Amino acid sequence: ALLTNIVCMTMQHRGSNEVWNLFLDMQNNVFFGLMVFEALLVFLGWGPTIYFADGGNRFDVFLILLTSVTLVAGDVFRSAAQAARVLRLIRFVRQMQTNNVIKAIFETVSLSIPQVANIMVVLFLGMSIYAVIGVSSFGTTRFGHRLHVTANFQTFPNALLTLWQILFGDDWMTIMDDCLLAEPYCTKRFTDPLTGLKLSYGDCGSVWSPVFFITFKVLCEWTMLNLFIGMIINNFSYCSNRENEGALTGADLDWFCDMWTETFDEFGTSFIHLTKVYEVMVCIGEPLGFHGEERNMGRYLCVREDLRLMIEEEDLAKRRWEEAVDLKKKGIADAAAKELVADEADKHRVGFFVRTFHALRTTQEAMRERAHAEWMEEKRQWAEYQAEVERLKAAEAERIAKKEKKLRRMAGMESEDSD
């Protein structure tokens, strides 16, 4: 339905009759109704919390509201209505990402953007160097067949633009020939009309023109552009082969979460019995569970052993806390037992993961307190610095005032002597 709507959107053209415009408006309203119905079903199926937690669902709600406003307003928001129709293409792109190849292409683009920026910086530096050389060597060269208004080295921006055109396949060989211009077809050194002296420049080219253009093609085009292509191919290979190499993907984690909540932990306790671990690994499959022709029992035994050690650690911590409580009640507790009981009781009653979270939160709070203390110390030092600056300014002003007062007094004494 979404693809059909997009095809109908491309059929709008200038000079269409009223019947065709009515058909386009009707199909647009029908597909908008289908989109609203689909969003409503998903909302009822998942509930408001889970529904609005997904960015795609929030975008659908925004698109529905925008389209509703444009339908109610009519021709008042005609441009907004066109924008709302175009935004439906984003939903089509989202649906296309279910295909692994297309998803790998989008991931390649997002992964390549930072690397492309770095390569662009290096390419710009190289082009800037060649632009400076071009301005100094061919800035006053007489125009020829291709070296003209649209491609020249008279200024730095024009030189960059010319090199950019050459980078993407402009007639660089003709420009190179124009920059080889020599006597008697040009003037090697101009004559100053006022003094009659020979100037240091003329409108001839340079014999180094082939070296300039060929090295630019090799360094900035063949090397840098091929570096672009190689980087993109490498990223695409990584994104397309990542699933085959055993790396975890978002789909693997989603499958694990769905299997955990729907089959083994329906009440959301985040815990299952140890005997269910084997069944979990059978159900989730590769790469987190069992995989291969022969199921890897060693993986199951390792996971089970790790969980057993965690449970033993939990039981040991709980027994120590309970023994410390009994000793305190009997009045025979030592300092270590009293300190253990004085600590938070819930910390020893909960499991391993909750204790780990509690330790992490305590560490983060300590880091925040240390950062706040450092900030307060810097604030105090800045206040002391400001106070010292004000004191020095006041002392300088007082010194200047005393000096002026002394000068005025001396001037008054001189005037009395003259009288």
Side-chain angles (χ1 to χ4, degrees):
L2 185 59
L3 181 60
T4 305
N5 186 19
I6 293 175
V7 172
C8 293
M9 289 170 56
T10 61
M11 294 181 180
Q12 189 173 4
H13 59 277
R14 183 177 180 182
S16 57
N17 54 40
E18 295 182 359
V19 177
W20 184 251
N21 292 333
L22 180 62
F23 165 74
L24 292 178
D25 292 337
M26 289 180 61
Q27 65 86 23
N28 183 61
N29 294 334
V30 169
F31 286 115
F32 173 67
L34 290 176
M35 184 175 67
V36 174
F37 181 69
E38 176 190 357
L40 182 61
L41 287 181
V42 176
F43 179 81
L44 295 177
W46 289 102
T49 304
I50 301 178
Y51 181 81
F52 287 105
D54 183 69
N57 294 333
R58 294 195 297 270
F59 176 77
D60 290 343
V61 172
F62 167 75
L63 192 57
I64 291 173
L65 294 176
L66 180 60
T67 306
S68 302
V69 171
T70 56
L71 289 176
V72 173
D75 294 336
V76 179
F77 296 116
R78 186 176 183 84
S79 59
Q82 297 294 335
R85 294 177 183 177
V86 172
L87 287 176
R88 294 184 189 178
L89 295 174
I90 300 179
R91 300 187 72 246
F92 180 68
V93 171
R94 246 176 48 216
Q95 295 295 328
M96 290 176 62
Q97 289 188 1
T98 55
N99 185 286
N100 292 331
V101 177
I102 297 178
K103 183 179 180 181
I105 293 174
F106 282 106
E107 290 180 351
T108 301
V109 173
S110 61
L111 187 64
S112 301
I113 288 177
Q115 303 175 17
V116 167
N118 296 332
I119 298 177
M120 285 295 295
V121 171
V122 178
L123 180 61
F124 177 76
L125 292 177
M127 292 181 62
S128 300
I129 294 173
Y130 274 90
V132 172
I133 298 174
V135 171
S136 61
S137 302
F138 314 114
T140 59
T141 302
R142 180 181 297 179
F143 287 168
H145 294 88
R146 184 63 186 90
L147 187 69
H148 213 270
V149 178
T150 57
N152 58 78
F153 295 91
Q154 292 181 343
T155 62
F156 181 79
N158 287 348
L160 276 180
L161 182 59
T162 302
L163 294 175
W164 185 262
Q165 295 172 6
I166 294 174
L167 194 66
F168 289 95
D170 200 355
D171 193 8
W172 68 275
M173 293 173 289
T174 306
I175 300 177
M176 181 182 66
D177 292 337
D178 292 339
C179 292
L180 273 171
L181 187 65
E183 294 180 324
Y185 304 102
C186 62
T187 304
K188 189 171 183 179
R189 295 179 64 181
F190 290 139
T191 302
D192 191 342
L194 298 179
T195 62
L197 299 176
K198 291 289 185 178
L199 300 176
S200 61
Y201 60 90
D203 57 359
C204 290
S206 173
V207 294
W208 296 100
S209 174
V211 177
F212 175 83
F213 286 96
I214 292 175
T215 55
F216 175 76
K217 293 286 287 185
V218 171
L219 296 178
C220 291
E221 180 178 342
W222 297 345
T223 303
M224 301 303 297
L225 293 186
N226 286 327
L227 186 60
F228 271 106
I229 297 172
M231 177 266 298
I232 293 174
I233 292 176
N234 183 50
N235 290 336
F236 179 76
S237 176
Y238 168 76
C239 294
S240 59
N241 297 330
R242 183 169 53 187
E243 295 184 1
N244 299 329
E245 294 176 355
L248 287 177
T249 62
D252 297 329
L253 297 178
D254 292 339
W255 168 251
F256 175 76
C257 292
D258 293 340
M259 186 62 63
W260 178 278
T261 55
E262 296 176 4
T263 307
F264 300 99
D265 189 19
E266 298 179 355
F267 299 101
T269 61
S270 300
F271 293 93
I272 60 172
H273 197 272
L274 189 60
T275 57
K276 294 287 186 179
V277 175
Y278 180 84
E279 188 177 352
V280 170
M281 298 187 70
V282 171
C283 292
I284 61 177
E286 59 178 338
L288 291 173
F290 295 131
H291 60 85
E293 296 181 358
E294 297 181 359
R295 290 181 172 175
N296 190 353
M297 293 298 297
R299 299 187 63 192
Y300 163 70
L301 295 177
C302 290
V303 172
R304 184 181 176 91
E305 182 65 17
D306 290 340
L307 293 175
R308 186 186 64 79
L309 294 177
M310 291 181 184
I311 293 175
E312 288 183 357
E313 180 188 352
E314 294 174 0
D315 293 339
L316 179 61
K318 186 175 181 179
R319 285 198 304 270
R320 287 178 178 175
W321 184 80
E322 290 177 349
E323 290 174 358
V325 172
D326 292 339
L327 292 176
K328 184 178 180 181
K329 289 181 179 179
K330 295 177 181 179
I332 56 176
D334 56 2
K338 292 180 180 179
E339 182 179 358
L340 185 62
V341 175
D343 201 354
E344 297 181 14
D346 294 337
K347 180 179 177 181
H348 302 281
R349 291 173 179 169
V350 297
F352 169 79
F353 298 102
V354 179
R355 290 203 307 275
T356 304
F357 173 75
H358 177 78
L360 179 61
R361 185 176 61 182
T362 304
T363 304
Q364 292 177 344
E365 290 177 353
M367 292 175 62
R368 285 196 297 267
E369 291 177 357
R370 184 167 60 251
H372 180 71
E374 292 176 354
W375 179 79
M376 292 297 294
E377 179 63 21
E378 292 178 356
K379 183 178 179 182
R380 184 189 63 78
Q381 293 177 0
W382 174 253
E384 292 180 354
Y385 171 76
Q386 291 284 70
E388 182 66 17
V389 170
E390 294 295 332
R391 187 186 65 79
L392 293 176
K393 288 182 178 180
E396 182 66 18
E398 184 179 358
R399 187 184 64 81
I400 294 174
K402 290 181 178 180
K403 185 176 180 180
E404 291 178 351
K405 184 177 179 180
K406 183 178 180 181
L407 292 175
R408 287 197 300 269
R409 187 168 61 252
M410 292 175 63
M413 292 175 62
E414 290 178 358
S415 60
E416 290 178 358
D417 293 341
S418 62
D419 292 340

